[in-house]
Amino acid sequence: DYSWRKWGKGNQTYIEKEVLIDSQPPTVSLLSHVHNLYQGGAGLVIYRLSEACPTSGIQVGESFFRGYSGYSSDAAIHLAFFALNHEQGPGTKLELQARDIAGNLRQLGIPHHINKRKFRKDVLNISDGFLERKMPEFLADLPDNAGLPLVQQFLQVNGSLRQANAEAIYQVTDKSEAQLFWEGSFTRLPNAANRARFADAREYRHKGKVIDHQFHMGIDLASLALSPIPAANAGKVVFAEQLGIYGQTVIIDHGFGLFSLYGHCSSLVVADGQMVARGEIIGKTGTTGMAGGDHLHYGMLVGNTFVNPIEWWDAKWIEHNITSKLKALPRS
């Protein structure tokens, strides 16, 4: 410093410390070797990390699917459920990524095969009666719609509100318990007929004129009016309230980033944070939200991506793609 001590030479303090500089990315060992996928479907990657990493998982296009430890007694072993959206077919790049505390990134290609899948096209004719009956239901979400022509109200609901609802769902599914709550195949609404299917490309018409296009990200199941809805598998309720176009909605976290969604309910009998068993009644079917008739809109998500529920209803698909990989791991 500039002290006059020592004839103007000042005072000096000297400190020396050892610093560890980490420039080596973590080592990642791929433990699962077979990854056969369908466009719009899901998969599971199992891997081992050489060190604790705050971020690791699977990068699919612009979506990242977080890996979780906790299933195995070996804390270095991680599970990552991941998904292809309905537009990601053969040629989609899959990459395992792990970033350590120092920020070093390891990237690893994943051997895989993606089967292309075609989805249906559907035409929905929107009547004036439907608009008059349904549009007032959404004024609480879109108060600026008041006074607009009914078709304009519909376009706002089917567009901007649909997107806002999707973002709200993704916020809920951004966090998941590091515990596998579910077991076996997921159940389907009993005695129900399939109506709209997953990833239907919908064309909306009013008086013969095309007014909008959207994708249907679930399966519509129609049974008797006000039918009891069973939880498709065991899990934790993480959302149970009104949600725009989905009406009264329940979302269940099944662990490690896997979720099921139940929309258009007439009533709910569960609450946030409640644990439910496979088959436990969570509500009744209805016509809330953008529903023209009584039915259940059933969806499955991996993280922020809707996937085809049919895979999760199929015991053989689950055994070949999920359970067989898990059986080889030591349980905690």
Side-chain angles (χ1 to χ4, degrees), residues 83-99:
L84 301 170
N85 67 39
H86 65 285
E87 296 179 306
Q88 291 175 314
T92 302
K93 182 180 179 181
L94 308 182
E95 188 174 78
L96 173 56
Q97 297 183 356
R99 191 181 298 273

Side-chain angles (χ1 to χ4, degrees), residues 248-288:
Q248 292 199 69
T249 301
V250 173
I251 300 176
I252 298 175
D253 178 9
H254 300 287
F256 294 107
L258 181 64
F259 298 83
S260 57
L261 179 148
Y262 311 76
H264 305 315
C265 304
S266 60
S267 61
L268 308 178
V269 295
V270 292
D272 287 4
Q274 180 177 336
M275 300 300 300
V276 292
R278 183 176 186 266
E280 183 175 340
I281 301 303
I282 61 174
K284 291 185 177 181
T285 62
T287 60
T288 60

Side-chain angles (χ1 to χ4, degrees), residues 90-131:
T92 302
K93 182 180 179 181
L94 308 182
E95 188 174 78
L96 173 56
Q97 297 183 356
R99 191 181 298 273
D100 63 19
I101 296 173
N104 301 304
L105 176 65
R106 175 73 70 183
Q107 297 164 284
L108 188 67
I110 300 171
H112 66 278
H113 176 74
I114 298 175
N115 297 290
K116 186 176 178 59
R117 189 181 290 250
K118 290 186 177 181
F119 300 102
R120 298 192 317 172
K121 294 182 179 180
D122 195 12
V123 175
L124 274 69
N125 291 298
I126 307 301
S127 67
D128 286 337
F130 173 81
L131 295 175

Side-chain angles (χ1 to χ4, degrees), residues 147-186:
L148 292 178
L150 288 174
V151 171
Q152 290 301 117
Q153 291 189 36
F154 171 80
L155 293 176
Q156 289 296 314
V157 170
N158 209 39
S160 60
L161 183 58
R162 179 184 295 273
Q163 183 59 39
N165 295 158
E167 293 299 328
I169 291 170
Y170 302 153
Q171 284 187 352
V172 172
T173 59
D174 186 54
K175 296 180 181 180
S176 181
E177 297 285 342
Q179 185 175 346
L180 203 67
F181 295 122
W182 63 276
E183 184 176 355
S185 60
F186 283 61

